């Protein structure tokens, strides 16, 4: 009898791992994810109705757009219509595309309208701060609310927003989906249940999308300011339940699309690299020839000078007719 009990206890985790589904008596119990996705009054749908597109823009192509000051300063994206996206920690091009992200969104009046984190498609958080339609709007025990309309176009037409935080979490290597809503409720789902029981509803799953590119290296002689076709970019959007008239696929709110300045062309980057014989000159790639005293390999590396060993024995661009 003892052997049978042990075998039964061992079988449960095996079934749970292979089927990725609820096994009665074997641990987790999941809520009905299909009912949650179909419910127009779920806490996630209610949250979206409240916040609308605050801090962002409805749709995939109308995001607040901006740019970083330089490739070496990827902590603040300055938005074209006013406002900023502030990344903490700053983005690191050496780790592109980023696996995680934390940022806050400032509006054109320098007010923080929201903050966000991202660590995976099904692991993210959205915090939207309350705002009012008029200067007389107040929050309980908090005084006047900032205006939803900040003058940049963002927030126009949005009435009072209660805001709050929604957190979506999927542990690495698992198919569970935990949703913590602004109203204080929490929900525990098996994401695979949606694919098996209501596949047509899977586009409504809470999820976030981060797209990033570091840009491409321009040709060596592309000039001191390479064209934007070589620029990088980063954008962030969140999928919400459908609002009235938005269709069965749900709503997408894009919170920013920021351009990363393109890399400098190697002939204009202030470094000796590639086939250059000195900084940004000489060699076969750069049009610019080297001046007097700069390193060279042959006469053709120099600008009308000769490539000769100097007193230290190293070849430099030299005027052979100059007086010693």
């Amino acid at each position: 009898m003892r052997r049978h009990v042990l075998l039964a206890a061992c079988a449960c985790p095996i079934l749970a791992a292979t089927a990725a589904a609820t096994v009665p008596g074997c641990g987790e119990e999941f809520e009905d994810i299909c009912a949650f996705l179909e419910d127009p009054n779920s806490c996630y749908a209610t949250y979206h109705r409240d916040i609308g597109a605050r801090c962002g823009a409805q749709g995939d192509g109308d995001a607040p757009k901006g740019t970083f000051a330089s490739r070496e300063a990827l902590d603040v994206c300055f938005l074209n219509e006013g406002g900023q996206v502030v990344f903490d920690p700053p983005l690191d091009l050496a780790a592109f595309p980023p696996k995680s992200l934390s940022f806050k969104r400032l509006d054109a009046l320098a007010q923080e309208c929201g903050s966000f984190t991202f660590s995976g498609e099904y692991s993210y958080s959205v915090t939207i701060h309350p705002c009012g339609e008029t200067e007389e709007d107040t929050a309980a025990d908090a005084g006047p609310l900032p205006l939803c309309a900040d003058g940049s176009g963002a927030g126009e037409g949005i009435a009072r927003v209660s805001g709050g935080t929604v957190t979506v979490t999927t542990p690495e290597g698992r198919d569970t989906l935990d949703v913590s809503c602004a109203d204080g409720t929490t929900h525990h789902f098996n994401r695979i249940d949606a694919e098996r029981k209501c596949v047509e509803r899977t586009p409504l799953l809470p999820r976030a999308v981060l797209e990033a590119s570091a840009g491409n290296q321009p040709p060596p002689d592309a000039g001191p300011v390479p064209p934007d076709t070589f620029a990088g970019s980063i954008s962030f959007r969140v999928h919400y339940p459908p609002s009235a008239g938005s269709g069965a696929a749900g709503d997408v709110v894009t919170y920013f699309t920021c351009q990363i300045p393109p890399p400098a062309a190697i002939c204009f980057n202030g470094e000796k690299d590639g086939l250059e014989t000195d900084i940004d000159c000489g060699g076969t790639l750069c049009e610019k020839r080297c001046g007097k005293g700069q390193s060279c390999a042959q006469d053709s590396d120099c600008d009308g000078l000769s490539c000769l060993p100097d007193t230290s024995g190293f070849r430099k661009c030299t005027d052979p007719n100059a007086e010693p």
Side-chain angles (χ1 to χ4, degrees):
M1 176 65 70
R2 181 178 299 170
R3 183 177 64 180
H4 295 305
V5 172
L6 289 173
L7 287 173
C10 292
C12 288
I14 294 173
L15 287 171
T18 56
T22 306
V23 180
C26 292
E28 295 176 274
E29 294 185 2
F30 300 103
E31 298 176 54
D32 186 343
I33 192 169
C34 295
F36 181 80
L37 298 178
E38 294 167 0
D39 183 5
N41 295 312
S42 72
C43 65
Y44 195 54
T46 301
Y47 180 72
H48 178 44
R49 277 199 300 275
D50 172 48
I51 67 170
R54 176 156 165 77
C55 301
Q58 192 82 21
D60 201 2
D62 297 322
K65 294 178 174 61
T67 187
F68 294 92
S70 72
R71 290 178 69 83
E72 292 70 41
L74 298 181
D75 54 344
V76 179
C77 170
F78 300 92
L79 298 175
N80 299 341
E81 301 299 326
Q84 299 178 352
V85 182
V86 181
F87 298 87
D88 186 16
L91 301 176
D92 181 4
L93 285 176
F96 250 57
K99 294 183 179 179
S100 61
L101 194 69
S102 176
F103 68 92
K104 61 183 178 181
R105 177 79 161 75
L106 304 182
D107 65 21
L109 300 178
Q111 302 170 137
E112 183 175 332
C113 109
S115 57
F116 306 77
T117 64
F118 173 88
S119 57
E121 183 178 10
Y122 300 106
S123 292
Y124 63 95
S125 68
V126 175
T127 298
I128 300 297
H129 299 310
C131 65
E133 189 174 15
T134 68
E135 294 181 355
E136 288 72 36
D137 278 345
T138 60
D141 303 322
L145 292 171
L147 292 175
C148 295
D150 62 14
S152 70
E156 298 292 345
I158 297 179
R160 177 173 173 149
V161 169
S162 298
T165 299
V166 163
T167 302
V168 178
T169 308
T170 291
E172 186 174 358
R174 300 202 62 195
D175 291 315
T176 58
L177 183 72
D178 293 309
V179 180
S180 298
C181 286
D183 61 5
T185 60
T186 59
H187 304 274
H188 186 53
F189 303 110
N190 183 348
R191 206 170 69 244
I192 299 300
D193 285 346
E195 298 176 5
R196 296 186 308 184
K197 299 177 181 179
C198 53
V199 66
E200 73 282 357
R201 297 291 183 182
T202 53
L204 303 182
L205 284 167
R207 65 189 183 99
V209 179
L210 176 68
E211 295 181 334
S213 166
N216 298 309
Q217 183 64 44
D221 263 333
V225 182
D228 288 343
T229 51
F230 299 97
S233 66
I234 183 166
S235 68
F236 179 78
R237 62 182 183 269
V238 174
H239 290 249
Y240 292 104
S243 56
S246 65
D251 286 353
V252 176
V253 176
T254 305
Y255 290 98
F256 66 82
T257 295
C258 291
Q259 179 174 294
I260 300 171
I266 63 172
C267 296
F268 294 89
N269 63 4
E271 300 178 7
K272 180 182 178 298
D273 49 13
L275 299 177
E276 298 166 349
T277 59
D278 210 311
I279 296 175
D280 295 342
C281 68
T284 57
L285 295 180
C286 297
E287 182 178 346
K288 181 181 178 183
R289 302 295 87 190
C290 299
K292 185 177 180 179
Q294 290 187 296
S295 297
C296 56
Q298 53 193 3
D299 289 348
S300 61
D301 295 322
C302 302
D303 186 10
L305 301 171
S306 299
C307 185
L308 301 171
D310 64 4
T311 56
S312 62
F314 298 113
R315 298 177 71 85
K316 305 287 184 179
C317 292
T318 307
D319 182 356
N321 300 317
E323 295 183 5

